[in-house]
Amino acid sequence: MKYKISLLLLFVFALNSCQNENAKRLAENEKEAKKKEVIFNNINKGWVFIDEPINEVSEQKVKTWNEWREFLKELDDKPRKTIGAFQKKSTAIAKKAIALNENIPPEFNIPQIKSRISILITKVKMMDLFLHLDRIPDEKVTFLIGEINKELVSLERQMDKIVEKSKIPKEEGEADFLRMLDTTRAIPNTPAPLDKNLQVE
C-alpha cells in the first residue's frame, strides 16, 4: 500500500512539474511574441521612404534611367503584416540599389554621383542585414531608413547641380583651357633619351 501511495505522489509531483514547465514555456512564448509585435510596429511606423523624385531632374531620369525608376518603385511598395514581408522587401530594395551602378546616364557617370550611389547601396545593405538578424534592432533599422532618405536627397540634388551646370554657356576658349588643366592629358615630364649618334666633344 505504501508503495502505491508513494507512486501516486510521485506521479502527481511529475504531473505538477510538467504543468509548471508548460506554464513557463507559454509565458516565455507570449513574452517573445509581444517583443516581436513591438519590433514589427516600430519598423512599420518608421518604414517611410522618399519614393518620389524631389526635383525636376530626377523626375526626368525616372523616364529615361530604368534602374533609377525601378529603385524608386521598389521603395514605394510598403510591405504589410509580418516581419518576413519586411525582410523580403529589404532584400528586393538592396538588389535594385546595387543595379543603380549599371547603365548610369553619361552625364551622371562621374565620381560625385558614383560615390553617392555607393553610400546609398551601403546603407540599404546594412538595413537588409539588420532586418535578417535573429534579434532585429528596430531602432537601427528605422535610423537607417532616415539615412537612406538623406542619401536619396543628396543624390537627387547632385544630379540637379550637374544638369544646372551643364546649362551654363561656356565662354570662348573655356573648353580648351579646361582640357589643358586635365592632368591625364598632360605630356609626361621625363627627359628625352640621348641620341646615340650625337657625340659629345
Side-chain angles (χ1 to χ4, degrees):
M1 185 74 182
K2 285 181 183 179
Y3 176 73
K4 285 183 180 177
I5 291 173
S6 60
L7 194 61
L8 182 66
L9 286 173
L10 184 65
F11 178 72
V12 169
F13 178 74
L15 188 64
N16 192 26
S17 80
C18 281
Q19 286 176 341
N20 286 343
E21 284 295 315
N22 283 342
K24 277 183 186 175
R25 200 173 300 122
L26 284 172
E28 283 176 19
N29 287 347
E30 195 175 316
K31 196 176 177 183
E32 194 63 34
K34 282 181 182 176
K35 271 185 192 174
K36 284 182 179 177
E37 190 179 339
V38 167
I39 289 169
F40 173 81
N41 288 335
N42 288 342
I43 291 172
N44 191 35
K45 233 184 280 175
W47 195 274
V48 180
F49 287 104
I50 298 173
D51 54 5
E52 291 292 320
I54 64 161
N55 55 34
E56 200 176 307
V57 173
S58 53
E59 198 170 326
Q60 295 283 320
K61 288 300 136 198
V62 165
K63 295 173 187 166
T64 57
W65 187 7
N66 192 37
E67 289 76 12
W68 181 245
R69 181 177 61 246
E70 292 295 318
F71 178 68
L72 291 179
K73 188 178 170 189
E74 199 66 56
L75 291 178
D76 180 41
D77 189 24
K78 185 178 178 178
R80 305 269 184 253
K81 296 179 184 173
T82 64
I83 286 289
F86 282 103
Q87 290 170 332
K88 283 180 186 171
K89 177 52 76 176
S90 72
T91 301
I93 290 171
K95 284 179 185 171
K96 298 292 181 186
I98 292 166
L100 287 174
N101 273 328
E102 300 166 17
N103 303 321
I104 299 172
E107 71 268 28
F108 297 138
N109 200 357
I110 57 173
Q112 296 93 314
I113 295 290
K114 285 182 170 184
S115 65
R116 281 171 176 76
I117 289 173
S118 293
I119 293 167
L120 180 64
I121 290 169
T122 302
K123 292 192 175 175
V124 168
K125 281 181 169 181
M126 283 173 63
M127 179 190 72
D128 186 41
L129 174 77
F130 284 138
L131 272 167
H132 283 86
L133 294 174
D134 289 336
R135 294 189 183 275
I136 299 170
D138 51 322
E139 315 86 33
K140 288 183 180 179
V141 171
T142 53
F143 173 77
L144 279 167
I145 290 169
E147 291 294 301
I148 290 166
N149 283 330
K150 285 179 191 172
E151 293 308 323
L152 280 169
V153 169
S154 173
L155 177 58
E156 291 184 11
R157 284 191 178 143
Q158 187 64 41
M159 286 163 45
D160 195 36
K161 276 183 192 174
I162 291 164
V163 170
E164 288 305 311
K165 251 185 179 176
S166 70
K167 289 178 183 175
I168 300 169
K170 289 194 174 15
E171 290 184 24
E172 192 179 319
E174 186 178 352
D176 294 332
F177 179 72
L178 290 172
R179 250 194 316 271
M180 285 173 33
L181 289 175
D182 186 2
T183 57
T184 59
R185 297 173 45 99
I187 298 170
N189 194 11
T190 54
L194 291 174
D195 191 357
K196 292 178 184 176
N197 294 334
L198 292 175
Q199 293 179 354
V200 180
E201 291 180 20

